[in-house]
Amino acid sequence: MTTHIPIAEWNRVATRDVATNGITLRVFDHGDERPGRPPVVLCHGFPELAFSWRHQLFALAKSGYRVLVPDMRGYGGSSRPADPDAYDILTLCGDLAGLLDAVGADDAVFVGHDWGAAVVWQMALAHPERVRAVAGMSVPVTPRAPAPPLPILRGRLGDDFYMVWFQEPGVAEAALSRNVRRTIVTREMFTATWPEHDDEQLTLPPWLDEDELAHYVDTFEETGFGGGLNYYRNLDRNWTLTEHLADRVVTQPSLYLTGSRDPVGQFMPAKDLDRMLTDPRGHVVLDGAGHWVQQQRADEVNAALLKFLSEVG
């Protein structure tokens, strides 16, 4: 069972506001650098925060790594540009490259979950010289789609599918903000009809306590969900912008980790890892785990990451 990190302990972690790529990232910075060891950068997904890596931040720092955990662009204490075009995948990678510049690091081990995984996989392709090694969770690296992805998703999964529903500015923002507690703990998939099911029974998962939930709720009630939703509104634009990277594969040491019950695997199966990863160090599937794997099964995730780090950094 995951041990809950007291909010007071998280709040004592040093933070820095890093100017990068025209914005400011709020970065949690913990642990000391050791000669020859690159920093570890942990990138969260939607709808999460740097806080979602609390178990990994303390475990990795205790094991001798400097850990940098940003609230990603659009989230928490970081800048939240209003223009959806400010959230394309290459811009997000530029944020991370600027973070390394700000801390004086040539490269880092990048670890991402959900949208964070999509960003760190792309980071390995677009800025290979800045990525010592890369680990993705829940979202696998995939080859370039044969056409823009949104029409494909709409054709296969319908207008109700959450990535399609998220496209119209303002609609999902209002629905997700109506009851932030429900948005964070829902066991249902976000769909166009999800807002109508407001009689859903809300129970906390065993890996989240009331103080931890309150941290998420208080933050998203302040910031809203628009920044994170804008990541999805660049799906087709990302396809266009990354055409020049279409033939690249991930050559750095890599790890993929997911839960056997993660619904993302139903529409994004990890069937192309052998094609896309030339130096795989593991494909870990945690039996019974769902999507929020680094919080739900923190001890096992930490063990997998520490093993990976011992091999690559």
Side-chain angles (χ1 to χ4, degrees):
M1 180 160 175
T2 295
T3 301
H4 295 293
I5 301 296
I7 296 296
E9 187 172 353
W10 173 259
N11 288 337
R12 285 195 291 268
V13 176
T15 62
R16 57 166 65 198
D17 290 335
V18 174
T20 171
N21 203 22
I23 63 161
T24 300
L25 290 182
R26 172 64 54 86
V27 180
F28 293 79
D29 186 345
H30 195 51
D32 298 320
E33 290 184 356
R34 295 188 182 181
R37 282 189 172 180
V40 181
V41 181
L42 306 177
C43 300
H44 68 81
F46 178 86
E48 295 182 288
L49 301 163
F51 182 68
S52 67
W53 292 107
R54 58 199 177 279
H55 305 292
Q56 288 69 44
L57 176 140
F58 289 108
L60 299 187
K62 184 178 179 180
S63 294
Y65 295 91
R66 183 185 184 184
V67 188
L68 303 169
V69 192
D71 280 336
M72 299 290 280
R73 173 186 289 245
Y75 290 89
S78 295
S79 298
R80 303 187 300 276
D83 184 359
D85 286 354
Y87 295 85
D88 70 82
I89 196 79
L90 295 182
T91 295
L92 299 172
C93 290
D95 294 348
L96 299 180
L99 170 58
L100 295 190
D101 293 340
V103 301
D106 293 330
D107 59 11
V109 176
F110 286 91
V111 181
H113 171 255
D114 186 80
W115 257 108
V119 174
V120 300
W121 293 129
Q122 194 65 55
M123 186 76 183
L125 299 174
H127 299 277
E129 74 286 353
R130 309 306 299 267
V131 180
R132 181 82 62 93
V134 58
M137 300 182 191
S138 296
V139 171
V141 62
T142 59
R144 178 179 170 82
L150 271 174
I152 296 173
L153 290 170
R154 185 176 281 111
R156 290 179 179 174
L157 299 167
D159 290 337
D160 194 46
F161 183 60
Y162 75 99
M163 292 187 188
V164 179
W165 175 55
F166 283 173
Q167 294 306 307
E168 187 174 350
V171 175
E173 283 93 332
L176 298 177
S177 296
R178 191 173 305 144
N179 182 344
V180 173
R181 181 185 178 94
R182 182 191 173 206
T183 297
I184 299 301
V185 302
T186 185
R187 296 180 182 236
E188 301 178 9
M189 287 283 286
F190 296 128
T191 66
T193 59
W194 177 83
E196 301 169 10
H197 306 158
D198 55 7
D199 57 348
E200 180 184 359
Q201 295 298 309
L202 302 180
T203 58
L204 267 64
W207 45 266
L208 192 70
D209 68 19
E210 285 288 350
D211 288 339
E212 292 170 321
L213 175 60
H215 183 86
Y216 283 113
V217 171
D218 291 347
T219 301
F220 280 106
E221 284 183 343
E222 178 181 348
T223 66
F225 293 92
L229 290 167
N230 283 333
Y231 285 50
Y232 294 93
R233 293 167 184 154
N234 278 274
L235 288 173
D236 283 355
R237 190 161 169 261
N238 291 343
W239 184 84
T240 299
L241 291 172
T242 58
E243 183 178 5
H244 65 293
L245 304 174
D247 295 329
R248 293 193 183 181
V249 295
V250 175
T251 59
Q252 301 90 335
S254 59
L255 170 71
Y256 181 60
L257 186 149
T258 190
S260 67
R261 301 174 72 175
D262 190 332
V264 172
Q266 298 174 18
F267 56 88
M268 291 188 70
K271 60 184 177 62
D272 292 303
L273 293 184
D274 289 345
R275 174 180 170 188
M276 292 299 299
L277 305 176
T278 67
D279 188 8
R281 302 298 178 94
H283 179 182
V284 179
V285 180
L286 296 183
D287 188 48
H291 184 64
W292 315 108
V293 64
Q294 82 272 34
Q295 298 180 85
Q296 181 185 16
R297 302 282 281 275
D299 292 344
E300 291 157 280
V301 169
N302 293 347
L305 286 178
L306 287 170
K307 179 178 183 295
F308 179 60
L309 288 169
S310 72
E311 297 174 358
V312 303

